[in-house]
Amino acid sequence: MSDVELGDVGGEDPQEEKRRRKKKKHRTPEEREDRRRQKEASEGGGGGGGGDDADDGNGEDEENLDEKSFSPAKGPKSFGVSTKSPSARSEMSSKSAKEPREEDGEDGDDEPHVSGVSKKSMTTSRKSKKGYLNRTRALLNSSIAFVKTGLYKVGVLAKPIDPNDGYTGEVWVKPSRAVAKKHARDTNVMQIRAGINVYMDNPALEPFDGDEIFAEIYAQCERKGISINKVVKTGPFTATIEDVALSSAGDLEQQGVLIAGIRVTCVKEQLSSELEGHDDDKVGGKTKGAKKKEGEDRDVEANFIHPDLIRPYNLRSTGPNELGELGVGIGLYFHSLLWGARVLGLLSVVGCFTLITYLLAGLSSAQIDSESLTWFAIPTLGAVIWTEENASGLFLGKSMNKIVMLIITSVECLMAIGFIYLVKKMKRDQSVAIDAMDVSNISLQDYAVKVDYLPRDVTAEELGTFFSKFGKVHQVTLGTDVSGVIGKHRRRGEMVNTREELGAKFAKSRGKNFIVGEQIRVHDKAMQQLEKALVEATNNARAERGNRVTSAFVTFETEDSRKACEKKMKPGSTMAWLFRRKKYKFRETYRLWINRAPEASDILWENLAVDGAVGATRRFFSWIFMTILLVCTCAMVVLAESAQSTVPPAIACDAPAASGALDCDAIWPAVNATGQNSSLILLEVREMMDQVDAVTCVDYVSGGQWKGTDLNTYDGVSRIDSESWYNADGTWAGGFDANTLRDECSAMACFDCFCKTRVASLVLIGVGFTEDTDGYYALCETYFAGQFYGVATSGFTAVLNIALGTFTRVFSNFEKHHTKSGLESSVSVKLFLALVVNSALIPVLVFAKISKFDFIPYLFAGPYEDFVVDWYQTVSSTLSTTLVVNACVFPLTALGYAGWASLKRVLFAGSCVTQRQLNNLHSGSSFDLSERYAQLLAMMFVAICFQAAMPALVPVTAGFCLVAYHEAKYTLLRHSKKPPAYDETMARFFWAFAPSAAFCKLFVTLWMVSAEGVPSFGATVEPLVDVLEPISETSGQFSFATRFTTLNGAVAFFTALIVVLLTVLNQNRVFVMKFVSKFGASFVMQTGTDEDELSNNVPDISIALSDGILKGLAGYMIASNPEYNAFVPPSATIGAGGLNQPKPAEWEAVMQSMSAAEEERMRVEMKKMTATFVEEAGVEYGGDMGNVLKKKKKTKRGGKVAPEEEDSGFLENKPQLNSKESFVAPLAWGDETTETTTEVTETTEETAGDGNNSDAGETLEEKAERRRRRKERKERKKKKRDE
């Protein structure tokens, strides 16, 4: 640091020093450069003095220098620069820069240094060193300036603003990272605490633990209307009540609690008074000076959550139930992943006998030497087939081969049955989990119903009046048809954002970016045209549809009212809709279609107008398009698989060469030749192998081995002239022997041996390091293409599977679902089918050879008529590779998207010119549940189906489920925005399709374990064979006689038959139970929970809103939906009622009339229940009491009780009894008849003495007074009895 920078501030005022430093800090680079030049000039030309004096002068601080430079008294001449020209000043500056300042005694002669005079004694080396330093300094300064210029352009550094540049437009404000982080906290997945903590500190807490304290105070808090869930002991004398509602915490703090008779003071958690991210000009949730439209943002403000109650989820402790707070569908997905990991892990353990058997057979030394099965083909059923064909034994010995396979078949069949049972059990467990999540998550769905098929002129007030008969209505929201204009609204919103970005760029350049200015002009013109089109489209829509109401959402005050509505209106029932009673028809004419309302964030408002026949038509065409897409994608996979199927099969080369059965180097001695001679020999091999394939050479090459006879006769055979390879008509001449294909098939086998033994040298030729002088690379190009096809096919299938997610979403969007859950479920079904077809079905069909279906292009024309060893080497390897690739690609793709989002935030945050851009960078990505469900089910389906033949797929899929669980949890909780509140629709899709994997497993097991080469005992199912004989073939896949004459096939067949039969009976169990009950059998059927049961644990919606415990959006008004309110006008929804809003008078009138009628009905019902005893009850008692309890027969008219006798007494010569007024214990009636009669008489007299034995017509005060007098009489009589 230079002397000027350090300065000499000793003895100065600290405030003055601070001021100078601040002024120095804010100087522009141009000002610093001018001051540096002035300083150099003053050092070179000013009246200096030498030695120490010069140092003292240089030690002056910058501020003193600045004052001297521009002092009117001294003027600039005192620095010796103003009287010279710029060139002279520059020359003097250079001269003074080159002249060193020397201290006294530095030079050899000890002469003092005189300023401005060159010292002749300065050495040349020192001059060159000083020039080098100056040049380095200049280069460094220019480099720094260049870097700064680049940083200015990308926005990392803010370029200094010149306030005197004449720009008078808007001032650009740099986006705030703090605001962006606050936006991310509001939009991304965060945990919202249910309440605040309340702390207790008292010595009375010492002997109790948390549960004991909870038991002590629970009843006290319940009486006060305070709900508590957990108490944690935090110290010897301290405890914390967790998650107390904000409205209850204050009451608890004021009143305290009693513990062991001691009053314990409670102190509630103090939240920050300053709300982060909340506008300073907001008071009480409302903006000062802004007049809001009716209903706009009212629900958002009512459900405002304090920032201190928002926190990130804990990755370690968060489980499916906690994730269910984000929506039932989210929690069920993670529950399904854990279930899949556990169940597939269990199946892996149970199937370890199968896996070990296959591994030991595939890893035997004989099989390894033969190279018939490699890599993924080793732990397959093909190893058992190879062992049987080579007369070897499994690990228990050759004599036990059939028994081992029978055990494996039986275990596989039992696992299929067990899987179906576990799926059913998972369905029950997830139903319980749904209830648990629903209890812990209080949302609008608990209170609301969705209403369709409304008249177009309906009003919210009228609809609310109709539904008030079921209970108190909180709010009614009508959705209008916005399908014709919502696209333009979206476009307008995008253009508004674009205009904001262009304006910010123009302001940032302070009006100097003329290209952006022209873009703004063009954009504003397009914006005006869009505004006109939008107004015109809105007017046309209103003229055509009259602002037609599409659907309505009726929100009740309580959950019980919603259940009462559903009980009467029968949601989703077509029969109930067709035969709707007149009193439940709207305006006594319209049959309303009722459904449980979705979550407010789950609604697709633009699709509500599409229903009925229009929706069915769209779904039909969507499936047509999906089928066409599936055919196209299958064609691409088929082409890849077909190319792979044309590659010659691999064989073991060493064994036949050692035995002399096939010595390739002896027949085609290219190894002993070079150049052109070697190329001609290998060309002959190529021409001969092109005449055959794996199917025509099946008698010579099979199972990776050479099956032909010795070819010693071909050893050293003379080469065939290339002109003699083909006849005159272009047909093949026959090779070495025209009567057999041995020579051509031997060429095909030697082709594999020549190529795979020279991989390293051929790779060098392929990359261009060496030349193909001997012709081996020309021969083996097809070999490498085949190997590439094997790997590329699996990779291509995996990439295609990911791309299918985009196409299936396009088709599902075309269907116009009303909810996001329905949309995602449609995507899941289509994507699941596409994944299974591409990953499993197509490879099997391409390589299969079935003559019955050979008319289908590319399919059923493969080389394998049955499941042979080569099939496992080729097809099972492809299936296994595809599944392993998918297991890796699916989670890594999701993590890659999350990582790219984080990288974009780092790279491009500095280039954001608007706050919206920066907010979007900090917002998480979408969490697509449909694609994840489809991937999970497709992986599970393929693994279960082929488990009997490829058991290693099951543990791979179990590992995928476990990895996907942690990946999805990390992606959701750290890199995703809040997902829609998905319901259980996709979980039901999983329940429906998962059992189909077990059925598929049974049939695939039947087909594979009954193949010809699999060891099995014989068995004959004659009737079945006779039935299938007309469609059976003599051999191959459709040789049913062969399939069902093995014990393995019979076991699998009858297991599948039993499972299908039980499934059909289970689906029709209600009919079966009714049928069996006619023969005297009785069954107790559990139909689930009683919907009529009151939901006491769900508070009223007004309380849930005021306490901030309502999850999700606070209302169905579109203004409270952040996804739509940015571009859709609030008039798209019409509402009535709501929190802190007056309810229409018609609703209150209906409620009052309903209350009076309900009270009268309840009084009559209570009288019947308390005063009526069945005649059979008298049989249980003897004597007089039995006669008292016997009921008189009621006369009936037309099957109904006569009105005049309905309320009449029924005890002959006895007064009526009321359980509320009687003191008699029922079990003592037969023992104390005298006392009972006395008390009954007394009670009757008391009632008569009250002047009225009925509650009708009494006010509440009269009832209370009568009960008080009755209680006093009871106490007096009890006291007399005791005396």
Side-chain angles (χ1 to χ4, degrees):
M1 186 176 290
S2 65
D3 296 333
V4 174
E5 290 174 332
L6 286 173
D8 184 9
V9 296
E12 285 188 322
D13 185 7
Q15 295 296 332
E16 186 69 12
E17 177 187 356
K18 184 176 180 180
R19 186 182 66 81
R20 286 196 304 272
R21 290 182 181 275
K22 185 175 181 180
K23 184 176 180 180
K24 175 184 176 182
K25 180 180 179 181
H26 292 284
R27 286 198 182 100
T28 63
E30 292 79 7
E31 293 175 347
R32 294 179 183 276
E33 180 65 19
D34 292 338
R35 295 190 61 75
R36 185 185 64 78
R37 293 173 58 187
Q38 293 171 7
K39 180 62 179 175
E40 290 177 352
S42 66
E43 291 176 351
D52 295 334
D53 294 336
D55 285 342
D56 291 341
N58 290 337
E60 289 181 341
D61 58 280
E62 264 192 79
E63 185 62 29
N64 292 337
L65 179 63
D66 187 51
E67 292 175 357
K68 292 177 182 179
S69 301
F70 302 99
S71 172
K74 296 185 178 181
K77 186 176 180 179
S78 59
F79 288 92
V81 296
S82 62
T83 56
K84 300 181 182 294
S85 64
S87 59
R89 290 199 301 268
S90 176
E91 181 181 355
M92 181 170 30
S93 300
S94 301
K95 181 178 179 180
S96 61
K98 294 179 181 179
E99 290 177 355
R101 295 177 311 189
E102 296 186 62
E103 298 288 336
D104 291 341
E106 279 188 350
D107 55 298
D109 299 331
D110 292 338
E111 293 180 358
H113 169 68
V114 180
S115 177
V117 181
S118 299
K119 292 188 65 66
K120 296 182 180 180
S121 61
M122 179 179 293
T123 61
T124 306
S125 62
R126 186 158 186 177
K127 289 182 180 180
S128 62
K129 182 177 180 181
K130 193 69 174 180
Y132 172 76
L133 292 176
N134 289 335
R135 288 193 299 272
T136 303
R137 182 183 301 172
L139 179 62
L140 182 61
N141 290 336
S142 62
S143 301
I144 293 175
F146 178 78
V147 171
K148 284 184 177 181
T149 303
L151 295 178
Y152 292 152
K153 290 182 178 180
V154 300
V156 176
L157 291 181
K159 191 173 183 179
I161 298 176
D162 184 8
N164 299 321
D165 58 357
Y167 175 72
T168 58
E170 295 182 0
V171 178
W172 177 72
V173 179
K174 184 178 180 180
S176 171
R177 291 181 182 266
V179 174
K181 291 179 180 178
K182 191 266 177 185
H183 172 79
R185 186 191 65 188
D186 294 338
T187 58
N188 293 351
V189 173
M190 302 290 284
Q191 187 176 26
I192 301 174
R193 294 166 53 190
I196 63 176
N197 296 333
V198 177
Y199 306 102
M200 297 182 291
D201 187 357
N202 196 289
L205 303 176
E206 184 177 9
F208 302 100
D209 59 15
D211 294 336
E212 292 172 343
I213 298 174
F214 179 81
E216 282 278 333
I217 66 176
Y218 179 79
Q220 304 175 38
C221 294
E222 188 177 21
R223 286 194 299 269
K224 300 172 184 177
I226 301 173
S227 176
I228 62 173
N229 299 311
K230 186 178 181 181
V231 177
V232 178
K233 189 75 176 292
T234 57
F237 308 117
T238 58
T240 301
I241 308 174
E242 295 185 347
D243 296 337
V244 180
L246 287 171
S247 60
S248 302
D251 299 337
L252 197 59
E253 184 177 38
Q254 291 179 359
Q255 301 174 16
V257 293
L258 283 176
I259 297 180
I262 301 175
R263 176 69 61 181
V264 176
T265 304
C266 298
V267 179
K268 69 177 182 180
E269 177 185 356
Q270 296 298 323
L271 302 178
S272 60
S273 57
E274 182 179 350
L275 303 182
E276 293 184 29
H278 233 233
D279 296 339
D280 295 335
D281 58 349
K282 285 186 178 182
V283 179
K286 296 184 179 181
T287 307
K288 293 181 179 179
K291 188 174 182 180
K292 295 188 176 182
K293 297 180 181 179
E294 183 178 359
E296 184 179 359
D297 294 339
R298 118 175 55 132
D299 295 324
V300 177
E301 295 169 1
N303 203 34
F304 172 72
I305 301 171
H306 197 282
D308 290 353
L309 300 180
I310 303 175
R311 62 187 177 189
Y313 280 89
N314 189 299
L315 284 174
R316 183 181 297 274
S317 61
T318 301
N321 288 338
E322 290 78 13
L323 292 169
E325 298 175 0
L326 303 173
V328 175
I330 297 292
L332 292 180
Y333 169 69
F334 285 94
H335 187 277
S336 300
L337 284 175
L338 287 181
W339 178 87
R342 296 188 186 106
V343 169
L344 294 178
L346 176 63
L347 295 181
S348 301
V349 173
V350 176
C352 64
F353 177 77
T354 305
L355 182 60
I356 292 174
T357 301
Y358 294 171
L359 276 174
L360 293 177
L363 294 176
S364 62
S365 58
Q367 199 286 125
I368 295 297
D369 294 338
S370 69
E371 300 181 2
S372 300
L373 299 172
T374 57
W375 296 102
F376 290 115
I378 290 177
T380 62
L381 185 59
V384 176
I385 298 176
W386 185 92
T387 302
E388 184 72 9
E389 291 177 351
N390 289 270
S392 302
L394 300 176
F395 70 98
L396 293 180
K398 183 178 179 181
S399 60
M400 298 292 291
N401 285 0
K402 297 180 180 180
I403 297 177
V404 169
M405 282 308 304
L406 181 61
I407 294 174
I408 290 176
T409 303
S410 303
V411 170
E412 295 296 327
C413 292
L414 290 176
M415 282 195 291
I417 298 174
F419 182 77
I420 295 176
Y421 167 76
L422 291 173
V423 171
K424 298 296 182 183
K425 185 177 182 300
M426 179 200 67
K427 182 178 179 179
R428 292 194 298 269
D429 294 343
Q430 290 197 349
S431 299
V432 174
I434 290 174
D435 295 336
M437 294 175 192
D438 187 62
V439 169
S440 60
N441 295 320
I442 301 173
S443 62
L444 282 176
Q445 194 177 23
D446 295 324
Y447 305 93
V449 294
K450 180 175 178 283
V451 187
D452 292 308
Y453 299 157
L454 290 161
R456 61 190 306 168
D457 58 343
V458 66
T459 63
E461 292 78 6
E462 183 184 10
L463 192 63
T465 303
F466 173 79
F467 279 94
S468 293
K469 66 179 66 175
F470 304 111
K472 186 177 181 180
V473 175
H474 171 75
Q475 188 180 33
V476 174
T477 303
L478 302 181
T480 59
D481 187 0
V482 294
S483 57
V485 296
I486 198 167
K488 292 182 173 58
H489 278 298
R490 288 185 185 275
R491 175 60 180 160
R492 179 183 179 278
E494 295 173 357
M495 293 189 70
V496 169
N497 296 341
T498 304
R499 178 61 176 84
E500 181 185 4
E501 294 173 7
L502 292 174
K505 290 180 180 178
F506 190 75
K508 185 178 180 180
S509 66
R510 297 189 65 79
K512 297 180 176 60
N513 194 332
F514 300 105
I515 297 177
V516 175
E518 180 63 19
Q519 291 177 347
I520 291 176
R521 188 187 65 80
V522 174
H523 187 275
D524 289 344
K525 184 177 180 180
M527 189 75 176
Q528 293 175 0
Q529 296 176 355
L530 180 62
E531 292 284 359
K532 293 180 180 179
L534 184 59
V535 172
E536 182 179 356
T538 303
N539 294 334
N540 292 338
R542 290 178 178 176
E544 295 174 2
R545 295 182 289 269
N547 203 21
R548 180 172 68 89
V549 174
T550 55
S551 298
F553 300 91
V554 179
T555 307
F556 292 95
E557 184 67 25
T558 64
E559 186 181 26
D560 294 332
S561 300
R562 190 263 305 168
K563 289 185 176 181
C565 174
E566 292 178 349
K567 181 180 179 181
K568 298 296 183 182
M569 303 294 284
K570 307 294 183 184
S573 174
T574 305
M575 296 299 296
W577 180 77
L578 290 174
F579 300 99
R580 184 85 73 199
R581 296 172 61 185
K582 187 175 182 180
K583 64 181 296 185
Y584 295 127
K585 290 182 180 179
F586 184 65
R587 297 177 183 171
E588 299 183 353
T589 304
Y590 296 95
R591 298 183 182 93
L592 303 181
W593 184 266
I594 306 298
N595 274 315
R596 179 86 175 270
E599 296 290 350
S601 61
D602 197 25
I603 299 173
L604 296 172
W605 291 94
E606 61 270 29
N607 298 343
L608 293 181
V610 179
D611 55 5
V614 178
T617 304
R618 283 179 169 271
R619 286 190 291 272
F620 172 77
F621 282 106
S622 174
W623 277 105
I624 295 295
F625 298 150
M626 183 65 195
T627 303
I628 296 174
L629 172 67
L630 205 55
V631 170
C632 295
T633 55
C634 290
M636 290 186 287
V637 177
V638 165
L639 291 175
E641 300 283 0
S642 299
Q644 184 184 0
S645 64
T646 58
V647 178
I651 70 166
C653 303
D654 296 337
S659 63
L662 180 63
D663 190 353
C664 296
D665 289 333
I667 302 174
W668 291 282
V671 68
N672 300 323
T674 58
Q676 187 67 21
N677 294 332
S678 175
S679 298
L680 288 176
I681 295 174
L682 296 178
L683 183 61
E684 182 181 275
V685 175
R686 178 61 180 270
E687 292 295 332
M688 295 183 71
M689 65 166 286
D690 285 345
Q691 312 308 315
V692 293
D693 56 23
V695 177
T696 55
C697 290
V698 68
D699 294 333
Y700 301 98
V701 180
S702 177
Q705 297 181 6
W706 174 255
K707 300 291 185 179
T709 56
D710 294 346
L711 297 181
N712 295 334
T713 55
Y714 296 151
D715 292 351
V717 68
S718 59
R719 304 273 65 79
I720 304 175
D721 187 21
S722 59
E723 297 180 354
S724 303
W725 287 346
Y726 296 92
N727 297 321
D729 57 356
T731 58
W732 178 248
F736 299 150
D737 188 352
N739 298 321
T740 180
L741 294 176
R742 282 193 309 169
D743 49 351
E744 288 86 350
C745 292
S746 64
M748 185 184 70
C750 291
F751 163 80
D752 180 72
C753 297
F754 285 150
C755 294
K756 69 183 178 183
T757 56
R758 294 174 172 83
V759 173
S761 59
L762 293 176
V763 169
L764 294 177
I765 296 174
V767 298
F769 288 160
T770 58
E771 295 183 358
D772 183 25
T773 57
D774 298 333
Y776 278 102
Y777 187 79
L779 172 71
C780 296
E781 280 184 314
T782 306
Y783 174 83
F784 286 108
Q787 301 302 317
F788 172 76
Y789 287 145
V791 178
T793 299
S794 299
F796 173 74
T797 304
V799 173
L800 188 61
N801 289 339
I802 295 176
L804 279 173
T806 302
F807 293 107
T808 54
R809 185 168 295 277
V810 171
F811 297 139
S812 297
N813 284 328
F814 176 77
E815 296 176 357
K816 299 295 183 181
H817 293 271
H818 288 192
T819 62
K820 296 176 182 176
S821 296
L823 172 64
E824 298 299 321
S825 179
S826 176
V827 173
S828 294
V829 174
K830 294 179 177 63
L831 185 58
F832 161 70
L833 295 177
L835 291 177
V836 171
V837 169
N838 286 343
S839 302
L841 188 60
I842 292 300
V844 174
L845 299 182
V846 169
F847 287 94
K849 182 177 178 58
I850 303 176
S851 58
K852 288 181 177 294
F853 306 114
D854 56 2
F855 60 89
I856 302 176
Y858 296 106
L859 300 181
F860 307 108
Y864 307 113
E865 293 184 350
D866 207 342
F867 298 107
V868 295
V869 175
D870 286 345
W871 186 92
Y872 287 96
Q873 173 64 21
T874 305
V875 182
S876 72
S877 295
T878 302
L879 291 174
S880 302
T881 303
T882 301
L883 188 133
V884 171
V885 170
N886 286 340
C888 299
V889 168
F890 290 155
L892 290 178
T893 302
L895 289 176
Y897 286 145
W900 171 239
S902 300
L903 185 61
K904 283 197 303 182
R905 189 158 49 247
V906 174
L907 295 178
F908 305 116
S911 61
C912 294
V913 294
T914 65
Q915 189 64 49
R916 189 189 304 275
Q917 286 182 320
L918 191 60
N919 291 349
N920 293 337
L921 278 181
H922 282 77
S923 297
S925 57
S926 300
F927 189 79
D928 293 328
L929 199 60
S930 56
E931 296 181 11
R932 293 177 177 273
Y933 255 120
Q935 293 167 1
L936 169 63
L937 191 55
M939 293 279 295
M940 189 178 297
F941 189 91
V942 174
I944 294 295
C945 282
F946 293 98
Q947 184 182 12
M950 292 167 271
L953 299 183
V954 175
V956 170
T957 308
F960 162 76
C961 292
L962 192 61
V963 172
Y965 172 79
H966 292 285
E967 172 273 316
K969 186 165 71 169
Y970 171 76
T971 303
L972 175 65
L973 300 184
R974 293 294 182 266
H975 296 281
S976 298
K977 58 185 177 184
K978 293 177 183 177
Y982 294 115
D983 57 18
E984 64 275 13
T985 303
M986 277 174 281
R988 296 185 187 279
F989 149 74
F990 185 82
W991 302 341
F993 280 88
S996 60
F999 294 107
C1000 181
K1001 172 186 172 65
L1002 288 173
F1003 288 105
V1004 172
T1005 301
L1006 165 64
W1007 226 244
M1008 287 188 162
V1009 299
S1010 61
E1012 185 177 356
V1014 180
S1016 176
F1017 292 102
T1020 303
V1021 187
E1022 293 294 344
L1024 185 61
V1025 174
D1026 294 339
V1027 171
L1028 298 176
E1029 185 176 2
I1031 60 174
S1032 179
E1033 294 182 347
T1034 57
S1035 62
Q1037 297 280 354
F1038 282 83
S1039 178
F1040 296 110
T1042 303
R1043 299 293 181 187
F1044 293 103
T1045 54
T1046 62
L1047 186 58
N1048 295 341
V1051 169
F1053 171 76
F1054 283 109
T1055 303
L1057 188 63
I1058 292 172
V1059 170
V1060 171
L1061 180 61
L1062 292 177
T1063 302
V1064 172
L1065 292 176
N1066 182 61
Q1067 295 295 331
N1068 301 275
R1069 61 185 180 275
V1070 176
F1071 173 77
V1072 173
M1073 296 300 181
K1074 290 181 179 180
F1075 178 77
V1076 175
S1077 63
K1078 294 182 179 180
F1079 299 94
S1082 60
F1083 299 90
V1084 178
M1085 297 180 60
Q1086 184 178 358
T1087 60
T1089 58
D1090 187 7
E1091 287 294 332
D1092 295 334
E1093 183 180 356
L1094 295 180
S1095 306
N1096 296 325
N1097 54 349
V1098 179
D1100 294 356
I1101 189 172
S1102 300
I1103 298 176
L1105 284 169
S1106 60
D1107 286 349
I1109 60 177
L1110 189 75
K1111 303 293 184 181
L1113 300 181
Y1116 285 102
M1117 297 296 291
I1118 206 167
S1120 62
N1121 192 327
E1123 186 177 352
Y1124 287 91
N1125 63 5
F1127 57 87
V1128 179
S1131 59
T1133 53
I1134 305 170
L1139 185 67
N1140 300 327
Q1141 297 298 317
K1143 305 295 188 296
E1146 297 86 350
W1147 301 3
E1148 300 295 338
V1150 173
M1151 286 301 301
Q1152 291 176 4
S1153 61
M1154 291 295 296
S1155 299
E1158 182 70 12
E1159 184 178 355
E1160 178 63 21
R1161 187 187 67 82
M1162 290 299 295
R1163 188 192 67 78
V1164 174
E1165 292 293 333
M1166 185 63 68
K1167 185 176 180 180
K1168 290 181 179 180
M1169 288 190 298
T1170 57
T1172 304
F1173 297 90
V1174 295
E1175 183 178 1
E1176 290 78 3
V1179 180
E1180 301 179 4
Y1181 307 98
D1184 297 335
M1185 208 62 222
N1187 295 329
V1188 171
L1189 294 177
K1190 287 183 178 179
K1191 183 173 67 172
K1192 291 171 59 179
K1193 293 183 179 180
K1194 298 182 179 180
T1195 59
K1196 297 186 178 180
R1197 299 174 183 173
K1200 296 184 179 180
V1201 179
E1204 63 272 11
E1205 296 181 357
E1206 186 174 2
D1207 295 332
S1208 61
F1210 56 86
L1211 294 176
E1212 186 175 1
N1213 300 325
K1214 299 292 181 182
Q1216 286 190 354
L1217 300 179
N1218 189 298
S1219 61
K1220 291 184 177 181
E1221 301 175 308
S1222 176
F1223 308 111
V1224 184
L1227 295 179
W1229 279 5
D1231 299 330
E1232 299 177 353
T1233 306
T1234 305
E1235 184 178 359
T1236 300
T1237 306
T1238 304
E1239 293 191 357
V1240 169
T1241 305
E1242 292 174 352
T1243 304
T1244 306
E1245 293 174 353
E1246 292 168 5
T1247 306
D1250 290 340
N1252 191 0
N1253 60 351
S1254 174
D1255 294 343
E1258 287 185 332
T1259 63
L1260 295 177
E1261 293 79 3
E1262 291 173 346
K1263 289 181 180 180
E1265 180 63 22
R1266 181 162 56 83
R1267 289 170 183 158
R1268 185 187 62 78
R1269 291 198 304 269
R1270 186 181 305 152
K1271 184 177 180 181
E1272 291 177 354
R1273 293 191 190 100
K1274 291 178 183 179
E1275 293 177 352
R1276 288 197 301 268
K1277 291 176 181 179
K1278 183 178 179 182
K1279 185 176 181 181
K1280 291 179 181 179
R1281 194 160 44 247
D1282 294 340
E1283 293 176 353

